[in-house]
Amino acid sequence: MNTDLTFINEKINAIKPIAYAKNRNFIDGSVSKLSPYISRGVISTKDILSSLLNRGFDPYKIEKFIQELAWRDYWQQIWVEKQDEINSDLKQNQVNVKNFQIPKAIIDGNSSIEAIDNAIHDFYETGYIHNHVRMYIAAICCNNAKSHWKLPAQWMYYHLLDGDWASNSLSWQWVCGTNSNKLYFANQENINKYCYTQQKNTFLDVDYSQFYTMDIPDSLKDTIDLELKTPLPKSDNAIQINSEIPTLIYNYYNLDPKWRKEEKANRILLIEPTVFEKYPISKKSMDFMINLSKNIDDIQLFVGSFDELKAVVNNSQLYFKEHPLNGHYKGIEDQRDWMFSVKGYYPSFFKFWNKCRKELKPLKQ
């Protein structure tokens, strides 16, 4: 995927928020495909909103697009408040779990559902899946194959270039009912409509009422375990630190080239093995991060723990950006660029959104 800043800015300027509201659920809908750059912290949801307002859009006329951006901030706010609790069933236990593995047919892209299998094969090539298709896959894994959500969610996160553990894990939990009030299903008619397929007589070609009593389809009964490992790069040779100037710490969730850009500072991309043991990513995702980091002048790569880095930088003042994974960092924390001032845990997105929506009126003025 392109990591050039000019390309990214062009994509921001090409957003079609009104068309998005009409066709976002279709696989060729007017989605921005900016999620990899948002997740890696190159740009923020606030950056995108500011760009749209500067282009003259009335916030109320593009509310659906803003709302979708707000989902990202909402998931992150839950991670901030709940921390590791998002790694297990959040509100209630997942029901009817038959295994803690993942259907082999999903891994192989051989589920017998044409749109799903095509999307999975493309996913391995591109690192991207349309959001609606992500929900289809989660529903098949959790609610048709009755797999616990955790390992399938980790598999998807592993390969996603826009991997955001909060958005990913909590969306899977929304689908399987551990973070929502009901299970999400998609039948074949729904998939055909939004993916432009014409399949019939599949295990999904049923009325929605039948899903709750359906046995696990034969094609999904074979499940496997996964050992997901992160291919770690090597540190740059002989990290150069000037202890008389501050040190800015970048990581998988913060690759913002604008952050304190005008300041003279040591700039370090910190890759902590323990983080990537807990939240493994693929080589494609690792390479994407490293290539994006090259937009930051004079950045150096350090593979090791925060404490190991701290010993290297000596007396240099450390700065880092707010993120749930940075709780063990020591230094000066800069606030993230949230779209709205609304903070804290809300049990539903719409309770969160109703607070955020009140801030649209001043934006219109």
Side-chain angles (χ1 to χ4, degrees):
M1 181 171 282
N2 199 318
T3 58
D4 180 72
L5 287 180
T6 299
F7 171 83
I8 297 168
N9 288 325
E10 287 174 350
K11 286 188 72 66
I12 294 174
N13 292 329
I15 294 172
K16 300 177 180 178
I18 294 175
Y20 171 88
K22 298 176 181 178
N23 61 26
R24 68 190 186 281
N25 290 336
F26 290 89
I27 56 169
D28 62 349
S30 300
V31 297
S32 70
K33 292 193 176 179
L34 285 166
S35 55
Y37 310 111
I38 300 172
S39 295
R40 299 288 66 79
V42 178
I43 56 176
S44 67
T45 53
K46 185 176 181 179
D47 289 332
I48 296 173
L49 177 57
S50 296
S51 174
L52 293 171
L53 296 176
N54 288 338
R55 287 168 58 190
F57 286 105
D58 181 329
Y60 289 107
K61 291 183 179 178
I62 59 170
E63 185 172 338
K64 177 52 67 175
F65 187 86
I66 298 172
Q67 190 179 85
E68 292 303 311
L69 288 176
W71 271 101
R72 289 187 160 272
D73 284 2
Y74 172 65
W75 295 136
Q76 284 288 312
Q77 288 283 356
I78 293 178
W79 198 2
V80 168
E81 292 294 320
K82 297 296 184 179
Q83 297 290 311
D84 281 355
E85 289 182 44
I86 73 168
N87 297 337
S88 55
D89 296 1
L90 189 61
K91 291 182 180 177
Q92 56 263 337
N93 292 335
Q94 184 178 339
V95 299
N96 297 325
V97 173
K98 302 299 183 186
N99 66 83
F100 287 80
Q101 298 179 307
I102 184 171
K104 187 175 185 299
I106 292 295
I107 296 295
D108 294 342
N110 190 29
S111 71
S112 78
I113 308 300
E114 178 185 331
I116 300 303
D117 295 339
N118 289 341
I120 290 171
H121 291 301
D122 288 344
F123 178 37
Y124 289 140
E125 290 294 321
T126 66
Y128 175 81
I129 309 182
H130 187 283
N131 187 59
H132 220 50
V133 179
R134 298 182 198 199
M135 294 170 62
Y136 294 155
I137 293 172
I140 290 171
C141 287
C142 299
N143 303 333
N144 296 114
K146 304 188 190 307
S147 297
H148 188 264
W149 66 268
K150 180 72 177 293
L151 184 62
Q154 288 177 311
W155 160 77
M156 184 172 282
Y157 178 82
Y158 184 81
H159 293 285
L160 283 170
L161 294 186
D162 68 5
D164 175 332
W165 181 242
S167 176
N168 192 62
S169 65
L170 293 169
S171 293
W172 278 76
Q173 293 202 57
W174 185 88
V175 167
C176 75
T178 63
N179 188 35
S180 60
N181 296 322
K182 62 180 181 178
L183 307 183
Y184 170 83
F185 289 100
N187 68 7
Q188 190 64 57
E189 181 181 9
N190 182 295
I191 292 173
N192 285 346
K193 175 182 177 180
Y194 292 110
C195 298
Y196 305 112
T197 51
Q198 298 180 343
Q199 271 195 292
K200 299 288 185 182
N201 302 317
T202 69
F203 65 83
L204 294 178
D205 196 13
V206 298
D207 184 79
Y208 280 99
S209 62
Q210 295 178 251
F211 281 124
Y212 292 91
T213 57
M214 182 186 294
D215 291 333
I216 298 175
D218 289 341
S219 63
L220 302 178
K221 287 181 177 178
D222 186 9
T223 61
I224 60 174
D225 206 348
L226 293 178
E227 188 176 4
L228 300 170
K229 290 187 175 182
T230 302
L232 294 173
K234 293 182 179 179
S235 291
D236 290 339
N237 291 328
I239 293 285
Q240 299 294 316
I241 297 294
N242 180 350
S243 60
E244 296 181 358
I245 60 176
T247 296
L248 307 185
I249 301 177
Y250 300 79
N251 55 34
Y252 192 53
Y253 285 94
N254 172 29
L255 296 172
D256 182 0
K258 303 183 300 299
W259 179 44
R260 296 180 174 266
K261 183 178 180 179
E262 304 307 320
E263 296 183 22
K264 188 175 182 180
N266 307 296
R267 300 177 190 273
I268 304 293
L269 172 56
L270 175 61
I271 296 179
E272 293 189 276
T274 54
V275 170
F276 291 99
E277 286 171 10
K278 189 172 183 178
Y279 303 103
I281 64 171
S282 68
K283 184 178 187 304
K284 189 186 294 289
S285 297
M286 179 63 70
D287 290 345
F288 182 60
M289 169 178 59
I290 292 171
N291 289 333
L292 278 172
S293 76
K294 294 175 182 177
N295 289 309
I296 300 164
D297 292 340
D298 301 321
I299 196 164
Q300 300 178 80
L301 176 63
F302 185 88
V303 181
S305 69
F306 174 83
D307 287 340
E308 289 170 333
L309 174 62
K310 193 171 185 299
V312 171
V313 303
N314 295 317
N315 295 321
S316 174
Q317 178 64 64
L318 293 170
Y319 288 82
F320 57 91
K321 265 195 175 184
E322 172 190 13
H323 191 272
L325 289 180
N326 300 347
H328 61 294
Y329 286 12
K330 300 293 187 295
I332 297 175
E333 180 184 73
D334 284 349
Q335 291 286 310
R336 290 168 61 180
D337 295 325
W338 304 100
M339 278 201 303
F340 302 106
S341 65
V342 183
K343 301 288 178 66
Y345 174 72
Y346 289 81
S348 76
F349 170 75
F350 287 101
K351 288 183 178 179
F352 171 78
W353 174 247
N354 286 338
K355 293 279 188 180
C356 295
R357 195 176 188 275
K358 293 177 181 178
E359 298 184 17
L360 289 183
K361 187 174 182 180
L363 294 177
K364 183 176 181 179
Q365 296 172 346

